[in-house]
Amino acid sequence: ETGVTQTPRHLVMGMTNKKSLKCEQHLGHNAMYWYKQSAKKPLELMFVYSLEERVENNSVPSRFSPECPNSSHLFLHLHTLQPEDSALYLCASSQEGAGGALTDTQYFGPGTRLTVL
Amino acid sequence: GQNIDQPTEMTATEGAIVQINCTYQTSGFNGLFWYQQHAGEAPTFLSYNVLDGLEEKGRFSSFLSRSKGYSYLLLKELQMKDSASYLCAVRDHGDYKLSFGAGTTVTVRA
């Protein structure tokens, strides 16, 4: 148990569906991340929120829409996905250091295994 | 960005030692992390190196050489539960992002 939870753990959706992934961290951290993990590929950073503001958007298609209502919760809204979006989606959190640099270790949730039909 | 290389797979026997190498290229260096990830589970933090040398934590040790752009994770007295994927990640100077290698799958056999 790393202190970061994600729901659902598994999701199967059609290309026309709308769904949302949820992440919650219980570590008192102030930064949260979404990563995509595909088989045999490195983790790809998608979005970063620091103090509830989005500070990174790594050229992610608009069919992925993040939301961070507070420092403990992070959502990823999914709409009109493609089969190649099937992957493990991981959430992580860390504590932003003094001066605005995110220097601490990132702690990961167990991920949501997404399958797009 | 970084170019991070690590072997795809390694196999070892229970009780043995395995060394997982990681090489990286970066314009500025601000730390290297090792994570362990069991199938279907979260990556969990193992170690952090920012200065040259060896960091030891029980059966696991991690080494860093910044001049060579090289690190290794050493797993001693292997146990079956050590079968997992091991991820090397590098952070750039003045940055918060982690760049990950593709991971090394270690299989421990009886």
Side-chain angles (χ1 to χ4, degrees):
Chain A
E1 177 65 43
T2 63
V4 182
T5 58
Q6 290 187 243
T7 54
R9 293 294 307 276
H10 300 273
L11 178 62
V12 179
M13 58 187 290
M15 289 192 285
T16 58
N17 292 155
K18 287 185 183 180
K19 296 286 183 183
S20 295
L21 310 185
K22 179 183 175 182
C23 175
E24 185 173 359
Q25 59 96 1
H26 312 275
L27 301 169
H29 289 164
N30 57 14
M32 297 186 77
Y33 308 74
W34 278 117
Y35 286 88
K36 176 183 179 183
Q37 187 176 35
S38 302
K40 305 299 182 186
K41 288 186 176 180
L43 268 73
E44 301 171 44
L45 180 64
M46 300 175 72
F47 301 104
V48 181
Y49 276 82
S50 174
L51 299 173
E52 299 154 43
E53 286 191 22
R54 191 189 312 179
V55 296
E56 184 80 21
N57 179 346
N58 263 5
S59 303
V60 179
S62 59
R63 57 185 183 269
F64 295 91
S65 175
E67 179 190 359
C68 187
N70 55 61
S71 60
S72 299
H73 294 85
L74 185 66
F75 295 89
L76 187 62
H77 304 298
L78 315 173
H79 175 51
T80 322
L81 294 192
Q82 305 297 311
E84 59 264 29
D85 297 323
S86 298
L88 182 68
Y89 288 85
L90 290 163
C91 173
S93 72
S94 69
Q95 181 61 28
E96 181 176 356
L102 295 172
T103 59
D104 209 348
T105 301
Q106 292 182 22
Y107 293 89
F108 286 84
T112 296
R113 174 67 62 186
L114 174 67
T115 302
V116 181
L117 301 176
Chain B
Q2 289 96 341
N3 188 13
I4 301 170
D5 289 315
Q6 52 181 130
T8 305
E9 294 178 337
M10 301 183 76
T11 301
T13 306
E14 200 173 12
I17 298 173
V18 70
Q19 177 174 314
I20 307 169
N21 296 324
C22 173
T23 58
Y24 63 89
Q25 295 171 322
T26 181
S27 52
F29 177 81
N30 192 25
L32 186 143
F33 296 79
W34 284 97
Y35 284 84
Q36 179 192 61
Q37 186 178 22
H38 286 99
E41 297 183 14
T44 54
F45 169 72
L46 287 179
S47 68
Y48 170 65
N49 294 71
V50 67
L51 299 176
D52 291 349
L54 188 68
E55 295 281 341
E56 296 189 79
K57 268 189 184 180
R59 295 188 299 113
F60 293 2
S61 304
S62 57
F63 171 82
L64 176 68
S65 169
R66 289 171 295 170
S67 62
K68 294 182 180 177
Y70 167 71
S71 172
Y72 67 72
L73 181 69
L74 193 70
L75 315 179
K76 294 182 275 190
E77 300 169 21
L78 279 172
Q79 302 175 9
M80 300 298 286
K81 66 178 182 180
D82 297 330
S83 293
S85 181
Y86 291 85
L87 310 177
C88 175
V90 174
R91 184 170 56 206
D92 250 349
H93 224 319
D95 204 353
Y96 46 80
K97 295 181 291 185
L98 289 182
S99 294
F100 283 83
T104 300
T105 300
V106 172
T107 302
V108 180
R109 294 186 173 162

